[in-house]
Each structure stands twice: as C-alpha cells, then as structure tokens.
Amino acid sequence: MSRVPGWLGRLGAGLSEMGERLDERRAEVEKEHTEPEPPADAPALAEPAPAPEPVPVTIARDRPDPALAVPWGVRVAAEAGWRLLILAGTLWVLMRVISAVQLVVLAFAAALLVTALLQPTVARLIRYGFPRGVATALTAILGFVVIGLIGWFVTWQVMANIDNLSDQVQNGVDDLRNWLLKGPFHVTEKQINQIAKNLREAIGANTDQITSFGLEGVQVIVEALTGILLSIFSTLFLLYDGPRIWQWSLKLVPAAARPAMAGAGPRAWRTLTAYVRGTVIVALIDAICIGIGIYFLGVPMAVPLAVFIFLFSFIPLVGAVASGALAVVVALVTQGVVVALLTLAVVLLVQQIEGHILQPFILGRAVRVHPLAVVLSVAAGGMIAGIGGAVVAVPLVAVTNTVVSYLKAYSQGTEPPSRQSPKPRGATALSSTPPEPPQPEPPAQS
C-alpha cells in the first residue's frame, strides 16, 4: 500500500475543515431568516388588534361654505370691481404717459386729421396714373399752401384794420359809458371812474404775473411751432407710407385678434375721413354765412372773424358758441347794441341751420355720436389737453364707437351684409383683403 504524500493529506484536511465551516455558516443564515417556532408549552399569542376606524368629521349644518354665504349680487359686484380697478389703473398710467408726451400725441392726432382730409386727393391722383410719391408731394404742397395763404390773409386783415378797430373800440367804450350814465341802471360817473381806477390798480399790482404770462406765451409759441413741424412730417409719411404703417401696426396685435382688427381698421378710417370732410364743409358754410351777415351789418374785420369762426367750428358745440360770442362782442364794442343783437340773431340762425340741416345731411349716418357723448368728450378733452384735446375728443369717440360696434358684430357674426366687405382705402389699405367675419348658417328647411 503506497503512502500518500504529507502535503496532499494536509490539503485535503484543510478543504474538509473549510467545507464544514461553510455549512455551519449557511445553517446560521437560514436560521436567522426563518421565524422561530414557539415551544409546545408556550402560551398562544393574542391576535393583533384591528386598526382603528377613522373618526368621521361632522360639519355643522348651520355653517355653510363661506363662499356660498356671500350673496350672488355681492360676488358679481366684487368680480366686476377688481376688474374695473385694473382698467382704471391702466387708464391712469396711459393718461400719465400721454401727459408726458402731450405735444407729440397732439401733433400726431392733428396729422391724422389732416391726412384724412388730404388722402382722398392722393388716392385720386394715383388712380389717374401719378406715382405715389408725386401724388403725395402735390397734395401736401397744395394743402400746406392753402393753409399758409389763409394764415397770411388773416394776419394781413388784422394788421390792416387794427388802427381803425382801436378807434372804433374807443368810440364804442365812450358810447357804452354814456349809455350807462343815461340808461335805466342809474350808474353815476363816480362809479364808472372808480371801476376804471380799480382796473388800473389791478393791472399795476399784477405786473409780474403779466410779464411771466408773456414769457409763457413765448414758450407756447415755440411749442406750437414744434408741434406744427411734427404734424407736417407725420402727415407726409402717413400720406406716402400709410399702408405699410398700418400693416406694421397690425403685427402688434395678437394673432388671434388680427383678422378682426384688420376688418375694423378700414371702417375706423372711413369714419374719420367722413367726420373730417363733413366738419370742414359745415365749418366753411358757417364761416361764409356768418361772415356775409356781419359784413353787411358793418362789423369791422368781418373776414378775420369768419376765419376764426371756421377754425373754432372744429370744436363741436363749444367752438360755435365761442366764435359767435366773439363776433357779438366785436359788434357790441364797435357798432352798438342794435348791431350786436342783429349779429347774435345771424349767428343763432346759422347755428340752427347747421344743427338741424347741415350736419344730418352732410355727415349722415357715418358719424353717429349722441349729443351728450359729444359734450362730455369735449369737456374731458379740454380738461386733459386744452383746445387740442377738445378738437380731437369727438373724432376719437366716433372712431372708438365704430371699432367697438364692428368687433361686437364680428364676434357674434351679425354684421349687416352691406357693410361686410368695405374696400380698404387710405392708411388702412392692405395688400390683401381682410378675412370676412363668420357667417351664421341658415336654418335647415323642414
């Protein structure tokens, strides 16, 4: 029997010992993962107690939801209130911005009015075959020359009659003084002298304020010249490049609202053009009629007064009253009470013809603004921006009324068929026709 080497025996013994250790370790691991069985004599464990049921939350029947406790009318008023506050805040910020750049805004508004007056002439020249630049230049030169000639003529008439007017004013003051002394008011010469003395003292005491007012007048003249230059440049660009300016403005509108605004633009421009054209015609008729009347009555400077009446007629209601009052005052001071009363009769007659015949016939249904809206808009415009604001207020209200009415009809699809496809003209003319508003489907025939 051969003998096994010692090292081989030791290796086998080591492997056997390692295997026994691995078996012991495996047995310990299995024992840890298995739950130990309770001994036979051990008492039985009680079953686990069931989880407690949730306690129901009871709400008192006499305490409803706070939102439901608020009356429906109050909730509607609150919803409308905070929206109105946001709109009022937005409008206040907008007014502050406009006040900061008031000169620019009024100059651009005046340019829009002049453009609405001159643009039909540009369009007519273009249809006759003139290039757009040539048509714009001819129309602008003609318009500005006419305006300049009117200004020069008024200045010339005033300067030519100023000496005669001052003499007539002095004679009128003397006649008024004599009438007060001999009239039914029992005014004494001492009282008249006291009034004249008080006037002189008031003028002497307010010399500094009068001087500062003169300096402010110089500043106003500079601002007026600046505004005139801005209006001229704006008018030229609007006449020449109006369609592209309108297309660029449409890009500022959200895409969803762009078709509606593209349809409202031509209607707004048509309303503005009708307003400006009708106002110019009515003002021209008023100026000619009143000017002829006061000329035959012998009132001095009839032509300059007629021009002032024409200019003041662009302020609805208020302008007619102010220009008529100016003519009556001049007649009273220069020609006496009888001629002043006759002048007042002429002014009132022409204004009645204007209000009941001219405006309804010339403006028609193109500009539909209630008289109350006219008065309130003129008052608000005058408070915000003076005379310029009063001039711009009414056309702004008329255009806003047209745009809002169209957008409402567009959203409901109830626009009258005769006004659904106006041909875009002027600054709102686009290269492509704006999309039509959706038409309501006809009811199914039974």
Side-chain angles (χ1 to χ4, degrees):
M1 182 175 184
S2 58
R3 297 183 60 184
V4 180
W7 63 273
L8 187 59
R10 290 192 299 271
L11 179 60
L15 292 175
S16 300
E17 185 178 359
M18 186 179 297
E20 293 175 357
R21 292 179 179 177
L22 289 175
D23 292 340
E24 292 176 358
R25 181 59 180 168
R26 189 180 297 113
E28 292 177 358
V29 172
E30 292 177 355
K31 186 177 180 182
E32 291 177 357
H33 285 81
T34 58
E35 294 182 357
E37 297 181 357
D41 55 352
L45 296 177
E47 294 182 1
E53 297 181 359
V55 179
V57 179
T58 58
I59 300 178
R61 295 294 182 182
D62 56 346
R63 292 185 180 180
D65 186 5
L68 298 177
V70 180
W72 181 82
V74 176
R75 282 186 285 171
V76 171
E79 291 285 340
W82 68 262
R83 287 177 171 84
L84 289 176
L85 287 177
I86 293 177
L87 290 177
T90 305
L91 185 62
W92 182 81
V93 172
L94 182 62
M95 289 295 102
R96 296 289 294 180
V97 173
I98 292 176
S99 299
V101 291
Q102 178 178 339
L103 179 62
V104 178
V105 173
L106 291 179
F108 185 74
L112 280 176
L113 297 178
V114 177
T115 303
L117 180 64
L118 299 180
Q119 190 277 328
T121 305
V122 175
R124 190 173 292 109
L125 292 177
I126 292 176
R127 287 197 297 270
Y128 289 159
F130 286 86
R132 190 173 188 85
V134 177
T136 301
L138 291 177
T139 305
I141 291 173
L142 179 62
F144 294 145
V145 166
V146 170
I147 294 174
L149 288 177
I150 292 175
W152 170 80
F153 183 75
V154 172
T155 305
W156 172 59
Q157 286 290 315
V158 172
M159 297 302 296
N161 295 278
I162 189 67
D163 294 334
N164 186 24
L165 179 64
S166 61
D167 295 338
Q168 290 181 345
V169 169
Q170 183 63 39
N171 294 332
V173 170
D174 293 338
D175 294 339
L176 180 62
R177 181 172 178 273
N178 295 330
W179 180 77
L180 290 175
L181 289 174
K182 300 176 182 180
F185 298 102
H186 306 288
V187 179
T188 63
E189 186 173 0
K190 182 179 180 181
Q191 292 175 336
I192 295 177
N193 294 333
Q194 184 64 34
I195 293 174
K197 181 179 178 181
N198 294 335
L199 289 176
R200 287 194 298 270
E201 291 178 355
I203 294 175
N206 297 311
T207 304
D208 296 336
Q209 295 181 0
I210 296 175
T211 304
S212 63
F213 181 77
L215 296 177
E216 290 178 359
V218 175
Q219 183 180 359
V220 169
I221 292 175
V222 173
E223 291 181 355
L225 293 176
T226 305
I228 291 174
L229 292 178
L230 287 176
S231 298
I232 292 175
F233 281 109
S234 300
T235 302
L236 291 175
F237 282 110
L238 288 173
L239 288 174
Y240 178 74
D241 216 11
R244 280 192 287 182
I245 294 175
W246 172 242
Q247 290 177 349
W248 178 83
S249 300
L250 281 179
K251 295 179 181 179
L252 302 177
V253 180
R258 201 168 296 166
M261 292 303 299
R267 289 162 177 81
W269 184 255
R270 184 173 56 188
T271 299
L272 182 62
T273 303
Y275 174 82
V276 174
R277 189 183 304 173
T279 302
V280 169
I281 295 175
V282 172
L284 187 62
I285 294 175
D286 286 353
I288 292 175
C289 294
I290 296 178
I292 293 175
I294 62 178
Y295 175 79
F296 283 108
L297 290 175
V299 179
M301 293 198 308
V303 175
L305 287 175
V307 174
F308 280 117
I309 291 171
F310 172 78
L311 295 177
F312 275 88
S313 296
F314 283 91
I315 306 176
L317 301 180
V318 180
V321 174
S323 59
L326 178 62
V328 172
V329 168
V330 173
L332 176 63
V333 174
T334 57
Q335 299 296 325
V337 178
V338 177
V339 177
L341 293 176
L342 293 176
T343 303
L344 178 61
V346 171
V347 171
L348 292 178
L349 177 62
V350 173
Q351 289 181 0
Q352 290 299 316
I353 295 174
E354 170 197 343
H356 294 86
I357 299 176
L358 295 180
Q359 287 189 353
F361 179 75
I362 296 176
L363 295 180
R365 296 170 60 90
V367 181
R368 292 176 293 181
V369 181
H370 195 274
L372 179 60
V374 172
V375 174
L376 295 179
S377 60
V378 170
M383 293 175 63
I384 295 174
I387 298 178
V391 173
V392 176
V394 176
L396 178 61
V397 171
V399 170
T400 303
N401 182 38
T402 300
V403 172
V404 171
S405 300
Y406 172 78
L407 293 179
K408 182 179 179 180
Y410 181 90
S411 62
Q412 298 177 352
T414 57
E415 188 186 6
S418 61
R419 298 179 60 190
Q420 284 190 7
S421 301
K423 184 177 180 181
R425 295 179 179 180
T428 60
L430 301 175
S431 57
S432 60
T433 305
E436 297 290 338
Q439 298 294 331
E441 296 182 0
Q445 298 293 336
S446 57

